[in-house]
Amino acid sequence: NKLRYIYMSKVLNATEYSYKYDILTLSIGNKSYISSEFFDALQKLGIYHLYVISGTHVAFLSGVIFGVLKALKLPLNTIKIIIITALVLFLCLNFFSPSVFRAVFMGVLLLICSFFKKKPYIAIISLSAILQILMNPYVIYHAGFQLSYVTTYFILLSRPFFMKYNGLTQLILITVICELSTLVIVLIQFNEISLSGLVLNIVFIPLFSFLIFPSVIIFNILIYFPYLEFID
């Protein structure tokens, strides 16, 4: 909690512009500085999940750490141990939210299994779900828990189908799978569905992956260096 407070103070004092509130949301899931109307709009557009810390953030964070350490010529096993440590710290900073727990737990176990050349995806996601339910049985009513696990299960079970296609086709197919697999849950939890979500996700997922997430990571690094106005 203290680490989280120190980080938030650093971000809030780093700039006078309002994007710092988005940085807090995308980095540690703090939504208290952003209006509920904004999140309602994201929900209607069908891209709310991009503002929720989940597997995408965890995967990108792992990828960046891997890329930097690989460039520094560190041994592969050392890189894996550093990524595991970073992911556990990231989970703590996000107060063990269901979607982050699932993503981090899967990431850490997959990295551990990679030491033994194994990738038991379904077993790992099932184990993480069981652990969360044992820790808090009421988590099964949490929208983040339901959406996170159902989406991940469907993507994993559909892998043999979409892996034979190229990048753009894969993105479209995964987006369709995510939309269809969570349709009933979204209706139950939010009483509405977004017809524009399918199209907008095809645009916004690459935008977040290749521009916004990297910008967030760069910002988080730069706040520990002297202030440079042109970067702000």
Side-chain angles (χ1 to χ4, degrees):
N1 193 22
K2 189 171 183 180
L3 279 173
R4 187 179 169 95
Y5 175 77
I6 292 168
Y7 168 74
M8 284 175 58
S9 301
K10 196 80 175 170
V11 172
L12 292 172
N13 294 324
T15 177
E16 61 183 27
Y17 297 108
S18 61
Y19 70 76
K20 60 188 175 185
Y21 307 131
D22 299 273
I23 296 283
L24 283 178
T25 305
L26 292 168
S27 297
I28 57 170
N30 187 312
K31 304 181 182 71
S32 56
Y33 294 97
I34 297 181
S35 69
S36 58
E37 288 81 8
F38 178 74
F39 287 114
D40 288 341
L42 289 179
Q43 183 64 51
K44 285 182 169 61
L45 291 171
I47 55 172
Y48 177 82
H49 63 95
L50 293 171
Y51 257 72
V52 177
I53 305 292
S54 61
T56 311
H57 302 70
V58 171
F60 196 85
L61 179 65
S62 303
V64 169
I65 296 171
F66 180 83
V68 171
L69 297 180
K70 190 75 173 173
L72 296 173
K73 302 290 193 293
L74 265 67
L76 184 59
N77 286 347
T78 304
I79 293 174
K80 288 178 182 177
I81 292 167
I82 293 171
I83 292 174
I84 288 169
T85 307
L87 290 181
V88 171
L89 178 61
F90 185 66
L91 176 61
C92 294
L93 287 173
N94 281 281
F95 287 156
F96 289 81
S97 79
S99 56
V100 180
F101 182 92
R102 190 265 311 158
V104 169
F105 189 89
M106 283 191 69
V108 169
L109 274 192
L110 283 171
L111 285 168
I112 292 170
C113 289
S114 70
F115 287 106
F116 309 100
K117 312 295 183 189
K118 295 183 182 296
K119 293 182 179 178
Y121 295 111
I122 297 294
I124 288 172
I125 185 177
S126 301
L127 182 60
S128 71
I130 291 166
L131 275 177
Q132 276 197 281
I133 292 167
L134 287 174
M135 288 162 58
N136 175 20
Y138 292 101
V139 76
I140 60 170
Y141 299 110
H142 191 287
F145 178 89
Q146 296 174 4
L147 294 169
S148 178
Y149 279 99
V150 168
T151 304
T152 310
Y153 268 120
F154 269 85
I155 290 172
L156 288 176
L157 294 169
S158 306
R159 282 182 85 243
F161 168 66
F162 63 73
M163 286 299 287
K164 57 190 175 187
Y165 296 99
N166 60 31
L168 180 61
T169 308
Q170 273 190 30
L171 174 64
I172 294 169
L173 288 172
I174 290 171
T175 304
V176 172
I177 289 164
C178 291
E179 291 289 321
L180 294 178
S181 65
T182 57
L183 190 63
V184 174
I185 296 171
V186 169
L187 282 170
I188 292 169
Q189 292 282 359
F190 306 108
N191 298 315
E192 62 182 14
I193 56 170
S194 171
L195 297 176
S196 60
L198 192 61
V199 176
L200 289 177
N201 274 288
I202 293 169
V203 176
F204 277 94
I205 289 174
L207 180 68
F208 268 71
S209 299
F210 299 112
L211 182 64
I212 295 175
F213 288 155
S215 301
V216 169
I217 290 173
I218 291 167
F219 176 90
N220 284 324
I221 294 169
L222 290 177
I223 60 175
Y224 295 98
F225 290 89
Y227 175 78
L228 295 171
E229 190 172 353
F230 76 93
I231 291 177
D232 193 17

